[in-house]
Amino acid sequence: MALRPNNNYRGNKREEEPYRINQLIRGVEEVRLVGENIEVGVYPFAKALELATAQSLDLVEISPKAVPPVCKIIDYAKFKYDQKKKQKEIKANATKTVIKEIRFGPNTDEHDFNFKLKHAVNFLKEGAKVKAYVHFVGRTIVFKERGEMLLLNFAKGLEDVGKPDDMPKLEGKRMSIIFSPKAIKK
């Protein structure tokens, strides 16, 4: 198999290659060669390219900043496929943080409070964060203390399943507090 040109075109848009391969590795006298079926060491660039061609594989620059640059003799298409697969796996295993919001008014009744508290407990048990806030409309801003008491009672009701990240904060016409789920004991 001859050395392949770098066909990294998709339609009219050019896709940027993360690694330089074969003749695209320029301005290098010698490279440190690693890979299977090869004796690890420093080789002149032309010799390294010749070794890759002899095995019908590609010379891929893995670490361009090293002195001399590190290159590997591998099948570049398979290497790119494995890299994409690893990235996809990392992305799949990453945890996504979900924040559920619960809104109160400064004059929220006890029944509504308990109803919203029950929902917040369920959200925290599912692993979501909960942002509870009291929205002050018009002149109700004079009842800031009521809003703070409401959020502190809410925090007390959630202390078994969640912990507050901070104390209630007033930002404009909203006083809010965020709860994170507690670690589940096994």
Side-chain angles (χ1 to χ4, degrees):
M1 179 168 119
L3 293 176
R4 289 181 246 144
N6 188 2
N7 293 333
N8 55 359
Y9 285 91
R10 295 257 166 99
N12 292 338
K13 233 168 52 173
R14 183 183 170 123
E15 186 180 296
E16 192 63 38
E17 288 290 335
Y19 300 98
R20 297 191 302 180
I21 64 168
N22 302 329
Q23 285 87 6
L24 295 176
I25 304 171
R26 295 197 176 97
V28 177
E29 297 293 317
E30 44 185 23
V31 295
R32 180 173 307 280
L33 209 51
V34 297
E36 292 131 26
N37 307 327
I38 216 79
E39 190 175 318
V40 176
V42 178
Y43 291 86
F45 176 71
K47 175 74 173 160
L49 200 55
E50 192 179 297
L51 287 169
T53 309
Q55 294 183 26
S56 300
L57 294 172
D58 300 307
L59 183 66
V60 181
E61 188 178 45
I62 303 295
S63 180
K65 302 249 188 283
V67 180
V70 178
C71 293
K72 196 171 189 178
I73 295 179
I74 48 175
D75 181 5
Y76 187 59
K78 185 178 180 200
F79 175 71
K80 267 180 59 176
Y81 172 77
D82 289 342
Q83 292 290 76
K84 281 184 181 176
K85 198 172 174 183
K86 282 181 191 172
Q87 289 299 323
K88 204 172 189 180
E89 202 173 292
I90 289 170
K91 194 175 178 183
N93 291 338
T95 56
K96 294 171 180 70
T97 305
V98 178
I99 297 180
K100 301 283 190 172
E101 288 192 352
I102 295 183
R103 176 183 169 159
F104 294 102
N107 300 321
T108 301
D109 197 23
E110 191 172 336
H111 176 265
D112 292 338
F113 177 83
N114 291 333
F115 182 79
K116 292 177 182 191
L117 182 67
K118 193 167 70 176
H119 278 286
V121 168
N122 290 336
F123 293 148
L124 288 169
K125 284 182 179 175
E126 291 170 3
K129 284 187 166 197
V130 173
K131 178 179 183 177
Y133 65 92
V134 178
H135 188 72
F136 298 100
V137 182
R139 295 180 61 181
T140 59
I141 195 78
V142 296
F143 300 118
K144 284 184 236 166
E145 298 80 30
R146 276 194 206 172
E148 192 171 358
M149 290 305 297
L150 192 73
L151 291 177
L152 291 174
N153 286 340
F154 195 68
K156 197 178 290 180
L158 293 176
E159 65 187 0
D160 295 339
V161 288
K163 58 184 183 295
D165 292 352
D166 215 348
M167 291 303 288
K169 280 187 266 185
L170 184 65
E171 296 167 353
K173 292 189 173 207
R174 280 188 178 186
M175 183 177 287
S176 62
I177 186 169
I178 298 175
F179 297 92
S180 298
K182 280 188 176 175
I184 300 165
K185 295 172 186 163
K186 294 179 184 175

